[in-house]
Amino acid sequence: GSSRFCSERKTTLRAMLKALSLGLALPALTALAQVEHVDLDDECSDASSCALNALQLRAESGEDLASVSNETAQLAAELQQGRGLWRLYHVTSPAIGPRILENGFKAGHAGWCGGAIYFGNTAQETKWKAVGQDSHQGYLIEAMVDVGHVKKMPWNCYTSTKCIETHPGLQGHVGCLSRHYYGNTLRHEGYDSIVFNPGDGNEIVIWDKHRVKSMRHIPMP
C-alpha cells in the first residue's frame, strides 16, 4: 500500500532533501511551453499520508513544519498574494479555454518544471510567457488556486542548464524543456507547488487540478 511505499522511500528522501540544490542564477530566458495533457503516474494513491511522511522527514533533518509555512508566507508576500488562495492566470486558445472551464486543467507535456499546469502571477505576464511550440494565445483564465506548501526553485527549475547552454536561441531552449512528471517528487518532499522565475516574471506550477478552486474567463490585457 501507499504507507509501505512511503516507508521504503525514507532513506532516499533523506538523501534527496540534503542534496537538493537551488543552483546558480544564469542569464534570464523567455521560453515557456504550456500544453494541455500528459499521462500521470500516481505512485502514491494516499497523497496526504505521503505528504505527512515527507514533512516528518523534513523535521528530522532540521526543518520543522512552521518553517515550511513561513517559506510559503514569504513567497506569498513577494508575489503580492494572500495567505489563502492565490489569484493566478493561464492563457490558452479560444478553442481549448472553454473545455478547461468545463472539465478542469490537464498537465502539459513539457515545461521548465516538466509536465505540469503553469500559471502566471499576473495577467499581463501571460502575454509574453506562452511562446512554446505547443502554447496558445487568445483566451485568458483567471483562477483561484490553493497552492499549499510552495517550493522556490531556480530560474531553470528542473530543466538541464547544460542543454540550455548548448542549444542557443528560443527554439533551442524550448527543445530542452523537461518532459518528466515531477508531481510525485514534490509530494514526497512535502510540497504542493513551485514558484520560479525564468527571467520574464514569476510562474506558479501545480500538478493536481483540484487545487484550482474556481476559475473564469476574463479579457486579455
Side-chain angles (χ1 to χ4, degrees):
S2 61
S3 297
R4 183 184 65 180
F5 171 83
C6 293
S7 177
E8 291 172 349
R9 291 297 179 91
K10 279 189 176 182
T11 302
T12 301
L13 282 168
R14 287 195 184 94
M16 289 171 58
L17 290 169
K18 291 180 180 179
L20 191 63
S21 170
L22 293 182
L24 299 176
L26 296 178
L29 305 172
T30 58
L32 171 68
Q34 291 176 315
V35 289
E36 308 299 337
H37 177 72
V38 71
D39 292 326
L40 306 186
D41 177 19
D42 284 325
E43 295 179 345
C44 182
S45 58
D46 187 351
S48 61
S49 174
C50 278
L52 178 59
N53 208 358
L55 286 172
Q56 289 171 340
L57 289 175
R58 288 170 63 91
E60 289 175 15
S61 63
E63 296 179 278
D64 58 22
L65 302 187
S67 69
V68 177
S69 298
N70 290 337
E71 181 182 10
T72 298
Q74 181 178 352
L75 288 170
E78 291 176 5
L79 274 62
Q80 298 183 332
Q81 295 283 356
R83 286 180 173 267
L85 301 180
W86 289 17
R87 189 182 305 274
L88 305 174
Y89 301 88
H90 179 94
V91 68
T92 185
S93 72
I96 296 174
R99 298 208 302 266
I100 292 177
L101 293 181
E102 181 178 357
N103 302 313
F105 284 97
K106 290 185 178 180
H109 289 100
W112 290 109
C113 303
I117 303 168
Y118 289 78
F119 295 92
N121 190 49
T122 68
Q124 185 67 29
E125 288 172 343
T126 62
K127 294 182 66 175
W128 57 75
K129 279 185 172 295
V131 296
Q133 58 187 1
D134 294 311
S135 298
H136 307 281
Q137 282 280 2
Y139 193 96
L140 183 61
I141 295 175
E142 180 185 79
M144 300 303 295
V145 182
D146 175 9
V147 294
H149 292 135
V150 186
K151 180 177 184 178
K152 181 74 174 289
M153 289 290 284
W155 68 270
N156 60 302
C157 200
Y158 290 114
T159 293
S160 167
T161 56
K162 183 177 181 180
C163 182
I164 292 293
E165 291 167 358
T166 55
H167 293 76
L170 178 60
Q171 290 307 312
H173 294 160
V174 169
C176 290
L177 295 176
S178 175
R179 302 181 69 84
H180 187 68
Y181 176 74
Y182 293 99
N184 294 323
T185 299
L186 265 291
R187 189 164 57 199
H188 296 159
E189 295 174 3
Y191 291 102
D192 305 298
S193 59
I194 279 175
V195 168
F196 77 109
N197 186 341
D200 57 356
N202 287 292
E203 296 176 23
I204 297 84
V205 188
I206 64 172
W207 283 263
D208 181 1
K209 73 174 186 178
H210 297 103
R211 291 200 163 273
V212 178
K213 300 307 179 183
S214 66
M215 53 184 164
R216 61 173 183 155
H217 172 224
I218 63 173
M220 293 290 295

